[in-house]
Amino acid sequence: MPKKDFIIVAIDGGAAAGKSSTSRALSKHFNLMHVDTGSFYRATTVKLLEAKVPAEAGPALNNWLSSLKLGTHIDGTSASIVVNDWIPDSSIRSEKVNANVSHYAAIPELRKFLLDYQRNQARIAREKGFAGLVMEGRDIGSVIFPDADLRLYLYADPAKRAARRAAEGLTDSIEKRDAMDENRKTAPLSVPEGATLVDSSELTLEEVVEHVSQLVSEVQAQ
Ligand code: DC
C-alpha cells in the first residue's frame, strides 16, 4: 500500500531519450498527472515564430510575454498547456519547431516566465485528485522540482535516439538540440546531483518502464 498520498517524479534527459513514453506509462500505471514541459517550449516557439519575435532577450519578447495568457487543459492523465486559448496540436513537433525551439528555450526571460507555471502543475494535480505528478523535461530535477520524490535522468546513445525518431517518421536535429540545451547558461540539461541515471540504450520500452515503476513503487512506500 502506498504510504505517500502524493508524489512528484521528475524525468530529465536529452531529445528522444524515451522520456514521453516512459512518463505516459507511469502516469497511467500510478494515476500521476503527466506534464511534458518540452511541449511548453514547443508551443511558445510556434507562437513566437508566428508573431515574428526573434529568439533573443529584448523588448519584442518582453511585450509578447506581457500579453501571454496561459491555461491548462487536462485530457485523461495528461495535462497540456493552453497558449492564448490555443491547445497545441501536432504542429509543435514540426521540423521548423525542432530547429528553433532550443534557441527560444535558451532565453532566461522565457524560462523565468514558465517557471511558476510549471511548479503550479503540482497544485493542479493535487486539486484534480491525482496520486502525484510526473513531469518530464531538461531541468525538472535540477531547477523546477529539486526536492522531487524521485529524480530520474534517462539516457540513450545518440544513434539509438536518432533511430527512434526515424521510426516515428520524424526528422529531428537531436545532437544539435542536445548540444544547445547542454551548453546554455540558464538551466542547462545536466544530470541533477543525486538523480538516478537510467541507460535505456540496450533496453526495450517495457524494460525501462518496469525498472522505473519499481523505483516509483519504492518511493510511494517510504
Ligand atoms: O522534450 P522536447 O524534445 O520536446 O523539448 C523541446 C525543447 O524544449 C528542447 O530541445 C529543449 C527545451 N526544453 C527545455 O529547455 N527545458 C525543459 N524543461 C523542456 C524542454
Side-chain angles (χ1 to χ4, degrees):
M1 261 307 272
K3 280 195 187 159
K4 284 204 177 112
D5 64 355
F6 192 88
I7 57 163
I8 295 183
V9 179
I11 303 191
D12 291 302
K19 302 184 299 293
S20 290
S21 310
T22 308
S23 303
R24 259 188 237 114
L26 288 183
S27 81
K28 295 214 170 76
H29 188 78
F30 293 96
N31 189 32
L32 310 176
M33 188 171 97
H34 170 220
V35 178
D36 166 13
T37 62
S39 71
F40 299 177
Y41 291 94
R42 289 174 176 276
T44 44
T45 294
V46 167
K47 290 294 172 191
L48 283 159
L49 288 170
E50 239 174 61
K52 298 195 170 26
V53 175
E56 60 194 28
L61 181 78
N62 291 342
N63 280 342
W64 187 82
L65 285 175
S66 66
S67 66
L68 185 61
K69 213 178 77 202
L70 297 182
T72 300
H73 170 78
I74 297 178
D75 184 7
T77 55
S78 282
S80 84
I81 195 168
V82 182
V83 183
N84 295 339
D85 297 324
W86 175 61
I87 299 176
D89 52 29
S90 58
S91 66
I92 67 169
R93 316 233 164 248
S94 71
E95 227 170 292
K96 189 171 174 193
V97 173
N98 284 341
N100 283 280
V101 61
S102 290
H103 296 274
Y104 286 105
I107 309 172
E109 284 75 4
L110 179 62
R111 304 198 70 83
K112 196 161 159 254
F113 193 90
L114 289 173
L115 186 91
D116 288 341
Y117 176 79
Q118 289 171 90
R119 290 196 176 140
N120 203 30
Q121 299 301 306
R123 186 184 59 75
I124 295 174
R126 273 184 196 277
E127 279 174 8
K128 299 284 177 192
F130 287 99
L133 174 73
V134 54
M135 182 174 275
E136 53 162 307
R138 302 292 188 289
D139 60 343
I140 311 306
S142 55
V143 176
I144 309 299
F145 289 119
D147 297 328
D149 299 278
L150 182 61
R151 293 179 304 149
L152 300 171
Y153 189 93
L154 280 196
Y155 172 82
D157 72 51
K160 289 264 156 57
R161 294 190 279 141
R164 283 178 194 166
R165 275 291 189 264
E168 291 166 355
L170 298 170
T171 312
D172 196 349
S173 31
I174 290 173
E175 291 194 69
K176 211 159 140 200
R177 281 208 287 135
D178 275 2
M180 281 204 65
D181 297 340
E182 283 162 2
N183 293 311
R184 69 177 174 231
K185 288 208 176 72
T186 311
L189 169 65
S190 63
V191 186
E193 213 186 306
T196 303
L197 183 74
V198 177
D199 184 348
S200 73
S201 307
E202 302 302 329
L203 301 178
T204 63
L205 173 63
E206 289 71 28
E207 287 168 331
V208 173
V209 170
E210 197 186 319
H211 173 56
V212 170
S213 295
Q214 181 64 35
L215 299 175
V216 173
S217 295
E218 284 166 18
V219 161
Q220 270 190 330
Q222 277 164 16

